[in-house]
Amino acid sequence: MEDNNKKNQNPTSTKRRDIIKGMASLPVLGLFGIEYARSNHAESKGETVDMIKELGLEKDLGSISAKSYDKPKDTIRLGIIGAGSRSGSLLFHTGFAPKKSVEDFSKERLEAWMGYRDLNVVLTGVCEVFDERAERALAAGNNSVKAYSGEKNLPKVKRFKHYHDMLESDEIDAVIIATPDHHHVSMTVDAINAGKHVYCEKAPTRTEEEIQILAEALKDSKQVYQLGHQIRHNPIYPYAADLVKKGILGDVNLVEVTTNRNTPSGAWVRHVNSDGSPKSGDARSIDWELWQGDRPQAPFSIDRYYNWTKYWDYSTGILGQLFSHEFDAVNGILNCGIPATCMCSGGIYYYKDGRQTPDLVQAVFEYPDRGMTLVYSATLANSRGRGRVFMGNEASMEIGSSLSVTADGNSEKYRDKLDKKLIDTNKPMFTVGQNTGVDGVSSATQKYYVERGLTSVKIGDELKDVTHLHLKEWLDVIRFGGETSCNVDWAVQEAVILQMAKKSYLEKRQVRWDPVNKQIV
Amino acid sequence: MNKTQSVSIFVLRVLIGWHFLYEGLVKISDPSWSSVGYLKSSQGPFSGIFIALADQSTTMVAIDFLNQWGLIVIGLALITGIFTRIFAFSGMVLLLLYYLCVPPWVGLEYSIPMEGKYLIVNKTLIEAAALFVLGVFSAGEQFGLDTLIKRKSAAATNLATG
C-alpha cells in the first residue's frame, strides 16, 4: 500500500518536500545568529577600552629602568664584611662566584653573570668570623668574572679577621656590609670615617640611639651610602609612584602590606639543613666573641649564630627583616616618611623555640596629615598570598609580582566607564609587569621573595636581577656622582618606623614621633 | 526510522552543532585565547605528547587555528546536516583528544577546577559517544542537507543505470 502511494506521488512535490526537510535546520542557524549577537552585546565585546592609554600611562615598564652610564674605566676595589648566604648573593651579583658553582650555572645564569664584567670591580678583602664561610668568599673573590674571562694580574683577595683591619687597608675603596644587624651602624660609621663607601644590608639600625649616630656620620660625608633595598630597582615601584602622583587612585587613605610565610627557614630556623642534619660551625671554627661584638656575652650557641633574627640582641626580628621591605616599597611609592603614631602588637604564637622576636605581628601607622593609615600584618605560620594594596577613593592598586588597578564601585572618576560597563569592579582596569623566575624547584621562601618583587624583573626583553641593579647604582654614584635611591634620608625614615614598631610592641602602647626633638615618645 | 526517531536524531545533531559552533566562535573572538594552558595541564599516559606540543610555539599556532576553525566548521555542518557522517566522526576524534588530554581517571589531579565530579566518564566522553551515534545513524538525512545530496546522487545513479 505504502509503496503504491509513494509511486503515485508527484515527483516535483516529493522534491519540494525534501528540500523543505533538508532546510529544516536553517531557522536554528538564524536563532543562533541572533543569540550570538545578543551575547556579544551583553559582554560589550568590541567596546573594550585600553585604560593604560586612556589614563596616559606607560605600557612598558622598561621605560622606567636604572640610569645607564658609560662602561667605567676605573676599577673599584671592594671589601665584604660578613660572608653568609646573603653575602653569596651580593658577591654573585657583583661578578664573584666560586669556580665550582660557575661550572654548574645554567646557560642563562652564566650569561647574566658574564654581563656583570661591565661593573669593573675587584674583591680585595673578606672579613668573616667563620672559617668555612670566609673560604667560600675567598674562592668567589678569586674567581671573579674578570678572572673567568681570562684577565691577568688581578689582585688577590685578602682575609681580614677584624673589620677594623680591613678599613685600614688602602687596597679597599668600598665595603659591602652583610652581617647581622647589631654590627650595621658601628661598621657603617667606622667605614665612612675611614673614607670607604658603604653598601649596607637592611635593617639600617638595631636601636633608636643608633639612628642619630648613623645620620650624624653620613651628614655631609663624601662617601656614598646605599641601604640594601633592591626593590627600588623593580620598575613596578616607580611606575606605581607615577600612578599615585597622577591621581589614578584618587586620595590614598588606606595601605595594607603583609608578610605570610610558612616554613622553618622563612621563620629563621636555619641551623639545620633541609634534610634535618645540623649545619657546620662550632666554637672552634667561629670567632664567637667577635661575632657578638658589643652585645651581652652569651655562651656559644649555634642557634644564635644562624638564627640571630630570633633575638632582640642582634636584630629587630620580623620588623627589620620583612616589614622593612614592605615599608620601603610603600615609602618609595607614596614618599610618606615617618608616621605620626604607631601601635604594634603580636606575639610568639607558633614557634615556641625560645625566640624573643614575635612570629606574628600587626602594626598600625597613622599619617593624619596625609589622611592615611598604613597597616602591616604578618605571620610566619601561614603562606596565603596577600598583595600590597593601596586603597584610594577612586581605585585600588595591588602590587605583587605584577601591578593591577581596579576601579572603586563608588568612584566618580570612573563612573562613566563603570556605567557603560567598559570596566568593572570585579577585575582590574589594567595590569602591568609580569615577573618570572619561579619554577618547580624554587623553595617556598624563594617564591615569597619573587612574589614581593625582590628578585629578578623583566626590563624590556631582559631579565635583570634587582640586587644587581641596586649594587650597580651604588657603584655608578661612587664613580659619576648623584644620589643613591636608598640614601641616608630613606634609611633614617625606615630606621625610625622600625624602632617605633619595636618600641610599641615591647611597651604594649601607642608611640608617637616627636619631630622637634627627633625621638620616639 | 519513524518520525519521532528522526526528530530525536535531528534535535541531538543540532544541539551538539550549536555547542561546537559557539565554542569555536568564542575562541576566535578572544585574541588572547590559546589551548596552551589546557595542553600544559595534561596528565595521564598521553600527557608527554600534549605537553611537548604546547612547548612548540609554531605548532601551537597551527593547533589553535585548527581547533578554532575545526569547531566552527563541525558546528555548522552538524546544524545544517551536511556531510554529517564525516563531520560527526571528526568531532568525535577532536573530543576524544580533549578527553585524553585531561582524563578524569583515578589518581590524576588537576590544578584547573572542573565544573562537576567525574569518574572516567565525563561530559566530553558522552558528547563524543553521541557524535558516534549521529555518524552511525546518518543523522544528516534527518531534516538535513544530506537528504538533498543523497537525492542528487541517487538521481545521478539512476541516470547512469537507467
Side-chain angles (χ1 to χ4, degrees):
Chain A
M1 255 311 252
E2 211 177 319
D3 269 353
N4 270 347
N5 276 347
K6 264 190 184 170
K7 271 178 198 162
N8 294 338
Q9 270 171 358
N10 180 346
T12 326
S13 86
T14 322
K15 193 178 167 192
R16 193 176 299 145
R17 197 185 314 145
D18 278 354
I19 291 174
I20 292 167
K21 266 177 135 181
M23 300 284 188
S25 59
L26 289 186
V28 178
L29 265 186
L31 182 64
F32 182 94
I34 294 165
E35 288 302 308
Y36 185 67
R38 264 164 47 98
S39 81
N40 271 353
H41 186 73
E43 289 171 29
S44 70
K45 270 188 189 159
E47 262 200 278
T48 52
V49 61
D50 183 350
M51 286 304 287
I52 293 184
K53 206 167 149 193
E54 192 92 350
L55 296 167
L57 301 168
E58 294 280 346
K59 210 166 203 121
D60 180 17
L61 286 180
S63 55
I64 315 169
S65 54
K67 271 184 257 171
S68 62
Y69 296 91
D70 292 338
K71 268 188 195 170
K73 289 193 180 71
D74 57 320
T75 305
I76 293 179
R77 299 165 305 170
L78 297 175
I80 191 154
I81 312 177
S85 55
R86 181 63 188 149
S87 167
S89 172
L90 293 166
L91 285 176
F92 172 84
H93 289 298
T94 35
F96 307 98
K99 208 171 214 155
K100 210 173 165 312
S101 55
V102 173
E103 282 161 7
D104 293 338
F105 282 170
S106 65
K107 192 171 155 263
E108 290 78 20
R109 195 164 166 82
L110 183 66
E111 220 164 77
W113 188 68
M114 293 301 281
Y116 296 163
R117 198 178 169 190
D118 294 347
L119 292 178
N120 196 5
V121 289
V122 289
L123 189 73
T124 45
V126 167
C127 178
E128 168 59 45
V129 296
F130 182 16
D131 296 337
E132 189 184 300
R133 288 181 161 186
E135 290 301 325
R136 206 171 49 211
L138 289 169
N142 284 324
N143 185 52
S144 65
V145 65
K146 280 167 168 275
Y148 195 78
S149 323
E151 216 172 303
K152 300 275 179 245
N153 302 324
L154 292 165
K156 278 271 170 220
V157 196
K158 196 174 160 194
R159 181 180 175 188
F160 297 90
K161 195 83 177 181
H162 199 288
Y163 78 93
H164 283 150
D165 302 331
M166 182 193 258
L167 296 180
E168 276 171 20
S169 165
D170 54 10
E171 285 172 12
I172 283 169
D173 305 312
V175 292
I176 295 173
I177 300 169
T179 61
D181 296 2
H182 62 284
H183 291 297
H184 286 179
V185 170
S186 54
M187 285 177 178
T188 301
V189 171
D190 290 346
I192 295 293
N193 291 338
K196 317 288 186 199
H197 305 284
V198 173
Y199 180 103
C200 184
E201 272 300 314
K202 44 84 193 169
T205 76
R206 191 186 66 84
T207 65
E208 186 184 349
E209 293 70 40
E210 287 178 341
I211 301 173
Q212 212 47 37
I213 299 170
L214 180 74
E216 281 298 321
L218 288 167
K219 198 169 83 182
D220 307 324
S221 113
K222 277 187 262 162
Q223 277 65 49
V224 178
Y225 172 84
Q226 174 90 299
L227 180 65
H229 276 305
Q230 68 270 25
I231 211 167
R232 291 296 176 116
H233 294 278
N234 187 331
I236 274 188
Y237 293 92
Y239 189 94
D242 187 48
L243 281 184
V244 173
K245 225 175 266 164
K246 285 182 173 149
I248 308 297
L249 308 181
D251 292 327
V252 175
N253 47 72
L254 182 60
V255 178
E256 195 177 64
V257 290
T258 59
T259 291
N260 282 49
R261 306 212 290 202
N262 195 9
T263 62
S265 161
W268 304 292
V269 180
R270 297 179 177 177
H271 62 291
V272 285
N273 294 306
S274 49
D275 62 4
S277 60
K279 279 192 185 161
S280 54
D282 51 34
R284 270 178 306 170
S285 55
I286 296 169
D287 189 330
W288 183 238
E289 200 182 320
L290 210 54
W291 185 88
Q292 291 186 97
D294 67 350
R295 302 286 70 229
Q297 296 292 306
F300 176 77
S301 155
I302 200 74
D303 173 49
R304 281 176 179 252
Y305 175 73
Y306 277 107
N307 311 327
W308 50 269
T309 309
K310 287 161 48 179
Y311 300 93
W312 293 117
D313 268 347
Y314 319 116
S315 83
T316 46
I318 210 169
L319 298 168
Q321 292 304 304
L322 299 173
F323 171 61
S324 59
H325 281 307
E326 301 301 313
F327 174 68
D328 186 61
V330 173
N331 205 17
I333 293 168
L334 300 177
N335 198 3
C336 52
I338 300 168
T341 66
C342 164
M343 179 67 217
C344 176
S345 64
I348 301 160
Y349 295 159
Y350 188 81
Y351 284 97
K352 298 188 186 294
D353 53 2
R355 69 178 60 209
Q356 296 168 344
T357 61
D359 59 13
L360 186 141
V361 149
Q362 52 274 324
V364 179
F365 304 93
E366 286 171 10
Y367 294 85
D369 294 347
R370 293 188 60 138
M372 183 192 103
T373 290
L374 164 66
V375 178
Y376 174 62
S377 77
T379 171
L380 299 180
N382 174 283
S383 63
R384 184 185 169 89
R386 297 187 288 166
R388 303 184 176 101
V389 189
F390 296 73
M391 291 164 254
N393 63 322
E394 304 288 4
S396 298
M397 169 171 73
E398 183 162 1
I399 304 180
S401 55
S402 62
L403 174 158
S404 60
V405 177
T406 308
D408 192 88
N410 297 309
S411 157
E412 276 311 309
K413 188 181 170 83
Y414 303 114
R415 168 67 34 226
D416 187 43
K417 292 199 170 55
L418 284 165
D419 287 347
K420 286 183 183 157
K421 293 195 164 42
L422 290 170
I423 51 176
D424 81 62
T425 53
N426 294 322
K427 58 177 185 217
M429 293 193 279
F430 62 89
T431 298
V432 291
Q434 209 59 59
N435 220 321
T436 52
V438 177
D439 53 35
V441 293
S442 300
S443 72
T445 309
Q446 178 65 13
K447 281 177 188 164
Y448 170 84
Y449 290 130
V450 172
E451 275 303 308
R452 308 314 273 184
L454 292 165
T455 57
S456 48
V457 64
K458 216 163 192 178
I459 294 175
D461 285 335
E462 274 186 275
L463 199 61
K464 294 265 189 191
D465 187 279
V466 287
T467 298
H468 167 73
L469 295 174
H470 201 49
L471 285 155
K472 181 181 184 299
E473 182 193 62
W474 174 57
L475 295 166
D476 284 338
V477 173
I478 291 173
R479 287 189 174 108
F480 306 109
E483 276 294 339
T484 50
S485 53
C486 247
N487 63 16
V488 62
D489 298 334
W490 296 99
V492 165
Q493 289 177 5
E494 178 179 312
V496 171
I497 198 170
L498 295 180
Q499 294 307 323
M500 286 175 82
K502 177 182 161 189
K503 196 180 178 84
S504 170
Y505 173 81
L506 289 173
E507 297 181 10
K508 299 188 189 306
R509 65 178 180 92
Q510 190 184 52
V511 297
R512 218 163 33 81
W513 173 242
D514 174 355
V516 181
N517 298 309
K518 294 195 169 161
Q519 60 180 3
I520 303 165
V521 289
Chain B
M1 205 176 279
N2 68 31
K3 209 163 198 174
T4 315
Q5 288 165 337
S6 297
V7 170
S8 309
I9 287 287
F10 165 74
V11 168
L12 181 63
R13 196 190 78 211
V14 164
L15 290 180
I16 297 179
W18 183 294
H19 181 213
F20 268 66
L21 180 58
Y22 186 64
E23 282 278 4
L25 286 174
V26 163
K27 287 173 176 57
I28 268 181
S29 58
D30 177 2
S32 64
W33 177 84
S34 169
S35 53
V36 169
Y38 191 80
L39 293 175
K40 280 203 166 164
S41 62
S42 178
Q43 294 211 37
F46 306 104
S47 62
I49 305 166
F50 290 115
I51 292 167
L53 286 174
D55 283 338
Q56 295 169 354
S57 53
T58 40
T59 329
M60 277 320 298
V61 175
I63 289 177
D64 285 344
F65 180 85
L66 287 174
N67 227 316
Q68 292 166 326
W69 285 101
L71 287 166
I72 290 174
V73 170
I74 294 169
L76 282 171
L78 289 175
I79 293 177
T80 55
I82 192 162
F83 305 123
T84 313
R85 189 175 286 234
I86 299 167
F87 284 112
F89 289 140
S90 321
M92 183 189 75
V93 171
L94 191 60
L95 289 177
L96 287 178
L97 286 173
Y98 295 166
Y99 175 81
L100 290 175
C101 181
V102 287
W105 296 346
V106 177
L108 303 179
E109 279 178 27
Y110 297 96
S111 50
I112 302 168
M114 300 200 181
E115 26 77 272
K117 297 279 173 204
Y118 305 107
L119 178 70
I120 302 175
V121 176
N122 64 9
K123 291 178 194 168
T124 311
L125 189 65
I126 295 168
E127 195 170 20
L131 280 175
F132 182 73
V133 171
L134 291 182
V136 169
F137 280 86
S138 303
E141 289 165 29
Q142 317 306 324
F143 307 101
L145 293 174
D146 281 346
T147 322
L148 301 181
I149 293 170
K150 198 185 168 196
R151 197 189 153 83
K152 223 173 189 178
S153 60
T157 323
N158 281 345
L159 261 179
T161 52

